[in-house]
Structures are given as C-alpha cells and as structure tokens.
Amino acid sequence: MWKWLHPYAKAETQYRICGNIAPYAGVFALLLLTIAWVWGLAFAPADYQQGNGFRMIYVHVPASIWSMGIYASMAVAAAVGLIWQIRHAYLSMIAMAPIGAVLTFLSLATGAIWGKPMWGTWWVWDARLTASLILFFLYLGILALYSAFQDRRSAAKAAAVLTLVGVVNLPIIHFSVEWWNTLHQGATITKFEKPSMATSMLIPLLLSILGFLFLSLWLTLIRYRNVLLQEEQKRPWVQALANQFIGGKK
C-alpha cells in the first residue's frame, strides 16, 4: 500500500521536492506578512484601552502560536523516528528546532516589550510566560543534546526522547490562562461567536498568523535541505551537485 511513497524516501528526491516548494512558501509568506503588517500597523484602529501598543499583537501572537506548532511538529517527527526508525524524520526534527527556538525567543521578547507599558514591568513569573521560557530552554536543550553525541543516530534518538518528554509543556502553555490566575489575557481569536477584536483588527492578525506559517515552512524546507546535504555529503548525488555548483561559478 505504501509502495508509492518509496521514491520519495530518497534523500535526493526530498532535496529536489523541498527546493521546488520553498520558493512558493517564501512568496506566500512575504505577501501575507506585507499585507498583514501594513494593514495592522498603519490602518487598523487603535485599541480603546492599549492605544497603539496593541499593534505588537501582529508579531507576538503569530510567533507564540507557531513556537508551539513547530514543537508539536517536532514531536510528531520524533515519534515517527523512534517507532519506525526513519532517519529522515529525525533530520526534519533537528531542522525545525532552531526555527522554533527563534520564534519562542521572538515571542518572549515581544511579550516583554508589550508587557512593559501594559503591566509596568518587563517580566513577571506569570504561568504562561514561565511555561514559554521553559519551551525556549527545551529547544536549546534539544539542540545541545543532539550536538553532544558523535554518533548521529544516538544523538537523534536522545533528542527525540527529550522532544517527546517536553510535549507536556504545550497544554500548560495553552491552558495556563484558564487553569491559573494569570496576568496574561485570555482567548482572543478563538472566540468566534463573540470575538474580542474588531474585524478590522482581527483580519490582519489572521493574515499574520498564516504568514508566519508559510515563513516557518519556508525556513524549515531550507534548513532541511541543508541538513540533508550535511548528512549525505559523501553520496554521489551530493558530489554531483557540488561539481555543478563549482562548474557554474567558473
């Protein structure tokens, strides 16, 4: 039943497919983020309580959402790698980790900038903020653990186990506002019956979230191609690519 998938299991084929998809993901990301940020930063009305400070939402919320989304994707890849011993699943997990770490850092940084005028401080040990900080350390821990082993297979398995253990942090981040008394505001975009935002504010936020999705996809495809080249550097197809590149420069 899975025979049709076999050709796509080859590293060379995956490298080529990722190269074909990546430009489209990049273009969609650029278009969506440009529309979202121009609309949200320049044309959306100011919030009646926060004034123009609310505009940080167009970066903070998408970065926060996909910092968790990428970790969930890594967990799926880790499970696939451990259960079915698929090496490329491990490679995709490692390819996503730095992207997730950057988005988590961006989420924490923009949250601090936003929190200063709203809460009067850069940081509080709020449940969601603390869990997000733990997520950032998990990303760094996965990358450090993977780099600590000389044997790549052992490194990938160890990083995959840590990734799966860290999944427990995702529902804590998501539901922390409901479970504990927290300064962080509750749901905004998921209240479809009675949204907390005006439509003119909500639409650019949704576009920004979608733009961050395509940006994450674009970066993942580029990272995965680079990881494939590193892992397959002694293979004939990589040598052929290198020769083509050298010949093209001449």
Side-chain angles (χ1 to χ4, degrees):
M1 184 176 69
W2 301 103
K3 289 183 178 179
W4 65 276
L5 279 174
H6 288 174
Y8 301 100
K10 295 180 180 179
E12 182 179 2
T13 303
Q14 293 181 13
Y15 181 87
R16 176 176 50 80
I17 292 175
C18 289
N20 292 336
I21 297 174
Y24 295 100
V27 169
F28 279 126
L30 179 62
L31 288 175
L32 287 167
L33 290 176
T34 299
I35 295 171
W37 289 348
V38 170
W39 186 345
L41 298 178
F43 295 102
D47 184 76
Y48 76 99
Q49 287 182 320
Q50 302 183 33
N52 287 319
F54 96 97
R55 300 184 195 278
M56 190 66 70
I57 198 173
Y58 297 114
V59 177
H60 175 71
V61 170
S64 301
I65 289 174
W66 295 118
S67 68
M68 293 187 291
I70 289 176
Y71 196 93
S73 301
M74 287 173 57
V76 171
V80 170
L82 289 171
I83 295 170
W84 288 286
Q85 297 298 306
I86 298 177
R87 184 171 64 95
H88 291 152
Y90 291 133
L91 297 182
S92 65
M93 175 190 70
I94 296 302
M96 287 185 277
I99 302 166
V102 171
L103 286 181
T104 308
F105 177 80
L106 183 61
S107 170
L108 292 168
T110 54
I113 296 170
W114 194 3
K116 176 61 176 175
M118 298 301 110
W119 298 342
T121 181
W122 296 100
W123 179 266
V124 292
W125 290 104
D126 176 274
R128 177 167 287 181
L129 271 64
T130 304
S132 297
L133 182 62
I134 292 172
L135 179 64
F136 179 63
F137 288 143
L138 277 169
Y139 276 120
L140 297 184
I142 290 164
L143 291 169
L145 187 60
Y146 183 74
S147 301
F149 289 79
Q150 289 187 346
D151 180 61
R152 293 294 87 189
R153 184 173 293 274
S154 298
K157 288 183 178 180
V161 171
L162 178 57
T163 300
L164 291 176
V165 170
V167 168
V168 69
N169 192 47
L170 296 185
I172 294 175
I173 296 174
H174 183 72
F175 294 108
S176 58
V177 177
E178 300 174 16
W179 291 347
W180 294 288
N181 183 20
T182 171
L183 287 174
H184 206 285
Q185 69 184 56
T188 298
I189 61 175
T190 56
K191 295 166 61 178
F192 294 110
E193 293 182 2
K194 191 178 180 182
S196 301
M197 300 179 64
T199 303
S200 57
M201 299 177 179
L202 180 60
I203 292 177
L205 176 58
L206 295 176
L207 291 175
S208 184
I209 292 170
L210 192 58
F212 265 78
L213 171 60
F214 280 103
L215 177 63
S216 300
L217 175 61
W218 177 63
L219 293 172
T220 298
L221 292 171
I222 293 174
R223 281 271 309 155
Y224 185 61
R225 277 163 58 91
N226 291 337
V227 171
L228 281 177
L229 290 178
Q230 291 174 0
E231 291 293 320
E232 302 279 322
Q233 56 185 301
K234 295 182 179 179
R235 300 284 185 178
W237 71 271
V238 177
Q239 298 294 330
L241 278 177
N243 291 335
Q244 288 179 2
F245 177 76
I246 294 172
K249 292 190 71 174
K250 289 181 180 179

